[in-house]
Amino acid sequence: MPELPEVEITRRGIAPHVLGHAVEDVIVRDRHLRWPVPGTLRRALRGQRVRGIERRAKYLIFRMDAGSMILHLGMSGSLRVVDGPAPPGKHDHVDIVFDSGVRLRFRDPRRFGSIHWTRADPLRHKLLKGLGPEPLSETFDGNHLHARSRGRRLAVKSFLMDSRTLVGVGNIYANEALFGAGLHPRRPAGRISLARYEQLAKEIKQVLARAVQSGGTTLRDFVSGVGEPGYFSQELRVYDRAGLPCVVCGRPIRSVRLGQRSTFYCPRCQK
DNA sequence: CAACGGACCTGCCTGC
DNA sequence: TGCAGGCAGGTCCGTT
C-alpha cells in the first residue's frame, strides 16, 4: 500500500491524536509480522509519552521518553486512530492504548509490516542506517542520481526503487516519475545524462509533493490515520492504465514486467 | 561489488 | 460453485 506520500499522510493524520500522550497498554494479538514484534514492546512502551513522530523513508519513528518505536506498514499495513475499545478486525494485530482512551490500531493483512523498539538512535538502526537520501530534501538532486548510477547497467526503474539510491519511491511513483521525465523504465541507469537526471529528480520531487497534497493514492484500501482516502489516483498518468490512451500522445499505455513488478509506460513519450 | 530471484503473507480477481 | 493461478502499494537475503 504505502509509499512515501501515504506514510507521510498517515504520520500527519495520527500525530495530533497521540503527541504528548502516554501509553497505558499495548495489545499484541499477532506478533508474526515481517519480523516478530518484540516481546519487550509492552513493557518498553507502558508509561512512555510520545514526544515526536517522524518519518524516515517509509518508516514511522515514534520518539518516546526512553527510546523509539520504529514501524513499517509494509505492503498492506495501516495505522488508524480508534476511539475506545472498538472490536478488532481479523487483521488488527496491534493496539497501542493511550491514557486519553484513544488507541492506535495497526492492521496488516499480509503482515509484511514490522514494529521495532530501540533505546539507541533509531536512525542508526540496522534497517535505517543504509538508506539513501530523502527525495524531498535538498541533499537529493539530479547530481546524486547521476553520480550513483555511473557504470551501472540495471534498469533505471529498478535503480530508483532501490532504497540505497533514494527512499520513498515505490512502484506507483517510480512509474509516474519516469513518465514525467520521458525516460523508458528499462533504460540502463548508467546511460542517462546529468541533464536527464536533473529532470528526473525534479519529477520525483513534484510527483511526491503533489501526492502528499492530495492525501496520497488510494487504489483499494489506503486510508489516512483518520480514515480519509487519498485522491492522487485520479492524477496517475501511467500506473494501472495499461491499454488506455497516453494523456499526452494518445498511444496505448504498455504494461510489462520488470524486476518482478508491473511497469507502465508510453512507448512514444518515454525513450 | 552488482544484479537477480526467491521469500515472506492474505485477499481478490480471472478463467476454466 | 469450486479451484488454480496470477497479481497486489515492500524489501530483505541468499546466490550467482
Side-chain angles (χ1 to χ4, degrees), chain A residues 175-193:
Chain A
N175 279 298
E176 293 299 309
L178 287 168
F179 176 82
L183 282 167
H184 194 289
R186 281 200 206 277
R187 272 272 288 276
R191 287 202 236 130
I192 294 171
S193 70

Side-chain angles (χ1 to χ4, degrees), chain A residues 2-260:
Chain A
E3 300 183 36
L4 182 150
E6 293 74 37
V7 178
E8 179 61 21
I9 290 298
T10 299
R11 187 188 73 78
R12 294 182 189 182
I14 62 178
H17 299 270
V18 304
L19 269 182
H21 291 288
V23 175
E24 196 172 274
D25 199 6
V26 177
I27 302 164
V28 180
R29 300 185 191 86
D30 188 346
R31 60 176 66 261
H32 303 285
L33 303 184
R34 170 92 202 252
W35 283 281
V37 176
T40 53
L41 188 70
R42 181 164 185 268
R43 182 186 297 199
L45 285 181
R46 281 181 68 177
Q48 296 279 305
R49 232 167 252 286
V50 181
R51 299 302 182 182
I53 308 178
E54 297 158 28
R55 180 192 55 73
R56 169 72 174 116
K58 298 170 190 166
Y59 291 92
L60 288 170
I61 301 172
F62 293 77
R63 301 267 188 180
M64 315 294 289
D65 296 306
S68 299
M69 178 175 73
I70 303 170
L71 189 150
H72 198 289
L73 298 174
M75 202 87 141
S76 58
S78 64
L79 209 46
R80 298 281 301 277
V81 173
V82 177
D83 203 6
K90 184 175 177 189
H91 302 293
D92 291 335
H93 306 312
V94 179
D95 276 7
I96 296 167
V97 186
F98 290 91
D99 54 2
S100 58
V102 154
R103 24 181 104 192
L104 267 189
R105 181 161 281 178
F106 180 74
R107 170 178 303 184
D108 189 3
R110 293 179 72 182
R111 289 189 273 122
F112 287 172
S114 60
I115 300 178
H116 314 263
W117 169 258
T118 179
R119 308 186 83 90
D121 177 359
L123 299 177
R124 294 214 188 117
H125 188 277
K126 184 188 173 201
L127 296 172
L128 309 202
K129 68 179 178 204
L131 295 173
E134 286 289 328
L136 296 175
S137 75
E138 301 206 342
T139 61
F140 169 71
D141 58 14
N143 237 327
H144 171 80
L145 291 177
H146 183 73
R148 276 204 65 108
S149 59
R150 292 310 87 185
R152 301 187 60 186
R153 287 182 211 178
L154 87 164
V156 60
K157 178 165 178 259
S158 308
F159 173 66
L160 282 190
M161 291 178 67
D162 183 339
S163 62
R164 292 166 299 186
T165 306
L166 83 159
V167 300
V169 177
N171 201 30
I172 295 179
Y173 300 109
N175 279 298
E176 293 299 309
L178 287 168
F179 176 82
L183 282 167
H184 194 289
R186 281 200 206 277
R187 272 272 288 276
R191 287 202 236 130
I192 294 171
S193 70
L194 175 58
R196 303 283 278 168
Y197 269 130
E198 279 169 351
Q199 201 183 342
L200 179 57
K202 217 159 113 185
E203 285 295 333
I204 291 169
K205 287 172 189 278
Q206 204 173 85
V207 73
L208 293 176
R210 293 189 57 216
V212 171
Q213 279 173 21
S214 306
T217 298
T218 296
L219 292 178
R220 52 206 90 216
D221 54 8
F222 170 74
V223 283
S224 75
V226 288
E228 297 282 331
Y231 296 100
F232 198 71
S233 32
Q234 296 169 20
E235 299 181 49
L236 296 177
R237 297 195 282 177
V238 287
Y239 184 83
D240 211 15
R241 296 197 68 245
L244 296 174
C246 169
V247 293
V248 173
C249 76
R251 291 275 192 90
I253 296 301
R254 266 187 210 167
S255 155
V256 295
R257 205 98 186 135
L258 200 168
Q260 279 123 269

